[in-house]
């Protein structure tokens, strides 16, 4: 989806991407499929890589790094990196997951990240992720609508509207059927939902990374069709924008001499701290950048030159002002839906934006003719963080934090404006071809 497409086309494609991506593993699988269609070459980290111009990607677990090396790139050519993440707050399947009581079949799950628990109640949900067999082969699985966290009826809790308290262990056990847990195996159900599953023996499943995902389709609505509601906008909205921009960049001027090396870094595990081999605290981005530089004949000193010439746009969803809770926001900075992507600022470096990054972002948005908005937290409301400070700290790359404004962040179903995702993609495409 070119980043100069209409906002309506872009959110339609974003909806399709989210629907195809119920887990981080599905998100990178769908991204790889789209990159293959666009002529990118998938590389194996176990194999040697040839250097030189071209469009490439690698997948490591639930993370993906894709890049375009222009003609004439040299050992000191800088990298322009769009950083995002593929995971979203949810619930992850525990060991011995087949549970139940009182005639109900239930699933044992653990809270993943910081979901708004109440938003997951009374929804049709699915299990999705990867199954790893004893021989090391991996299979994606997605059940479709199968589970539900049923809320207690008001007749049995008359004070519920005065304050709902959910115990993560006792109350957040979804139902998925009727029967005796000893007579069924939830892993067998997951195995039966692997495409071409005749060869998948549930007894040979050695491990799994499976999460719960909402199944309600994304939707455009509002008095003038100005709203877009979907699951996992934090942060597939940025992953999709980067993917669309990189594909458009690679098919147009991506190989132009003098351009930077454009990189999409879609990390996993941001919602739980990024401390993994596929997270932003891990080595995946550095591993790829080093191998690209090696392929261009860089010495250690030239590689450091390239990093010094590089820039990272850390793109993660941010907060729009909530009309019912405006006192929770900074009094002077009230971002709105369809007002443009956010420039995220925090004095304590929870976001990596500094004056240089702010100026560069303002320049890019001006040249792309895209409005942007500044976000800063209310002083008594500590903000979250992103992969931006982690990337800046690990690699020393100049970094700015941006993102699409949302309401209902970390809800099972989040809300953005229809204009903002396409605007983020448009600025990202310009960024990919702009030498810093």
């Amino acid at each position: 989806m070119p980043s100069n497409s209409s906002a309506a086309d872009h959110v339609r494609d974003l909806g399709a991407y989210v629907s195809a991506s119920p887990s981080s593993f599905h998100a990178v699988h769908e991204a790889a499929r789209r990159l293959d269609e666009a002529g990118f070459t998938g590389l194996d980290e176990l194999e040697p890589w040839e250097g030189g111009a071209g469009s490439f990607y690698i997948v490591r677990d639930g993370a993906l790094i894709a890049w375009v090396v222009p003609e004439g790139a040299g050992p000191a050519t800088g990298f322009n990196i769009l950083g995002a993440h593929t995971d979203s707050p949810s619930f992850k399947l525990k060991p011995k997951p087949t549970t139940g009581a009182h005639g109900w079949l239930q699933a044992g799950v653990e809270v993943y990240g910081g979901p708004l628990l109440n938003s997951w109640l009374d929804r049709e949900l699915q299990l999705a992720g990867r199954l790893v067999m004893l021989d090391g082969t991996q299979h994606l699985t997605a059940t479709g609508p199968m589970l539900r966290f049923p809320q207690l009826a008001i007749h049995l809790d008359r004070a519920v509207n005065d304050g709902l308290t959910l115990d993560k262990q006792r109350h957040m056990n979804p139902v998925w059927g009727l029967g005796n847990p000893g007579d069924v195996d939830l892993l067998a159900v997951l195995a039966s939902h692997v495409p071409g599953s005749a060869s998948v023996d549930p007894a040979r499943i050695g491990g799994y990374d499976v999460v719960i995902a909402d199944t309600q389709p994304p939707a455009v609505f509002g008095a003038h069709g100005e709203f877009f509601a979907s699951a996992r906008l934090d942060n597939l909205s940025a992953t999709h924008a980067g993917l669309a921009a990189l594909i458009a960049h690679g098919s147009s001027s991506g190989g132009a001499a003098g351009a930077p090396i454009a990189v999409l870094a879609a990390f996993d595990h941001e919602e739980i701290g990024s401390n993994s081999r596929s997270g932003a605290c891990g080595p995946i981005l550095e591993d790829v950048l080093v191998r690209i530089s090696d392929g261009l004949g860089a010495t250690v000193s030239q590689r450091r030159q390239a990093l010094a010439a590089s820039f990272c746009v850390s793109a993660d969803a941010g907060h729009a002002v909530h009309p019912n809770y405006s006192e929770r926001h900074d009094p002077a900075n009230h971002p709105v839906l369809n007002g443009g992507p956010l420039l995220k600022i925090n004095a304590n470096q929870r976001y990596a934006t500094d004056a240089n990054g702010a100026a560069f972002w303002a320049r890019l948005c001006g040249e792309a003719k895209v409005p942007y908005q500044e976000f800063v937290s209310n002083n008594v409301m500590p903000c979250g963080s992103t992969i931006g400070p982690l990337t800046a700290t690990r690699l020393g790359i100049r970094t700015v934090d941006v993102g699409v404004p949302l309401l209902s962040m970390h809800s099972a179903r989040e809300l953005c404006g229809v204009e903002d995702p396409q605007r983020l993609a448009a600025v990202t495409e310009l960024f990919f071809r702009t030498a810093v």
Side-chain angles (χ1 to χ4, degrees), residues 120-203:
W120 290 81
L121 301 178
D122 300 335
R123 290 181 171 274
E124 290 65 57
L125 307 169
Q126 66 177 318
L127 289 171
R130 67 173 175 178
L131 308 176
V132 182
M133 312 307 288
L134 292 174
D135 64 2
T137 58
Q138 300 187 22
H139 303 279
L140 294 182
T141 183
T143 64
M146 191 182 87
L147 304 92
R148 183 182 177 100
F149 292 106
Q151 188 167 192
L152 185 65
I154 193 170
H155 312 80
L156 304 179
D157 184 4
R158 294 291 184 178
V160 64
N161 288 328
D162 297 324
L164 174 64
T165 300
L166 295 170
D167 184 287
K168 295 175 183 178
Q169 181 62 48
R170 291 190 299 119
H171 300 146
M172 304 311 292
N173 292 293
V175 299
W176 60 275
L178 300 172
N180 181 352
D183 297 335
V184 294
D185 180 10
L186 186 54
L187 294 184
V189 176
L190 289 170
S192 71
H193 285 87
V194 171
S197 61
S199 62
V200 177
D201 179 359

Side-chain angles (χ1 to χ4, degrees), residues 43-44 47-54 56 67 69 291-292 294-297:
L43 300 178
D44 186 338
E47 300 293 332
W49 299 352
E50 294 184 7
F56 310 94
W67 64 97
V69 180
R291 294 186 72 169
I292 294 171
D294 287 348
L296 295 171

Side-chain angles (χ1 to χ4, degrees), residues 42-49 57-61 63-65 67 277-278 283-289 291:
L43 300 178
D44 186 338
E45 290 191 85
L46 297 176
E47 300 293 332
W49 299 352
Y57 71 88
I58 63 109
V59 170
R60 181 186 292 183
D61 299 327
L64 175 142
I65 310 289
W67 64 97
R277 69 189 295 267
S278 53
I284 181 171
L285 178 57
E286 184 176 13
D287 287 349
V288 171
L289 299 187
R291 294 186 72 169

Side-chain angles (χ1 to χ4, degrees), residues 160-382:
V160 64
N161 288 328
D162 297 324
L164 174 64
T165 300
L166 295 170
D167 184 287
K168 295 175 183 178
Q169 181 62 48
R170 291 190 299 119
H171 300 146
M172 304 311 292
N173 292 293
V175 299
W176 60 275
L178 300 172
N180 181 352
D183 297 335
V184 294
D185 180 10
L186 186 54
L187 294 184
V189 176
L190 289 170
S192 71
H193 285 87
V194 171
S197 61
S199 62
V200 177
D201 179 359
R204 303 293 295 171
I205 297 174
Y208 49 87
D209 293 302
V210 174
V211 297
I212 288 180
D214 185 37
T215 62
Q216 185 177 356
V220 172
F221 70 107
H224 305 287
E226 62 266 59
F227 300 143
F228 180 69
S230 174
R232 301 181 292 284
L233 291 176
D234 177 12
N235 186 35
L236 294 186
S237 58
T239 299
H240 174 265
L243 182 64
L246 190 68
I247 289 173
H249 173 68
S251 65
S252 57
S253 61
I261 299 169
V263 181
L264 167 64
F267 301 101
D268 201 356
H269 300 135
E270 190 274 346
E271 297 293 352
I272 55 172
S274 297
N275 292 300
S276 71
R277 69 189 295 267
S278 53
C281 282
I284 181 171
L285 178 57
E286 184 176 13
D287 287 349
V288 171
L289 299 187
V290 166
R291 294 186 72 169
I292 294 171
S293 291
D294 287 348
L296 295 171
T299 64
V300 172
S301 180
Q302 287 171 321
R303 185 180 305 130
R304 293 299 177 188
Q305 284 180 262
L307 292 179
S310 299
F311 206 98
C312 176
V313 172
S314 166
D316 200 350
H319 301 292
V321 63
H322 195 301
N324 299 334
Y325 301 91
S326 60
E327 73 280 2
R328 304 294 182 99
H329 298 265
D330 179 73
N333 294 277
H334 281 182
V336 296
L337 300 189
N338 291 325
L342 301 178
L343 173 65
K344 299 162 71 174
I345 299 166
N346 179 258
N348 296 302
Q349 283 289 289
R350 300 289 288 172
Y351 306 132
T353 303
D354 62 8
N356 287 322
F360 185 46
W361 181 248
R363 169 190 158 194
L364 289 173
C365 289
E367 292 180 6
K369 296 181 172 54
V370 165
Y372 74 94
Q373 310 174 84
E374 293 162 326
F375 170 82
V376 65
S377 292
N378 185 302
N379 288 346
V380 299
M381 296 286 168

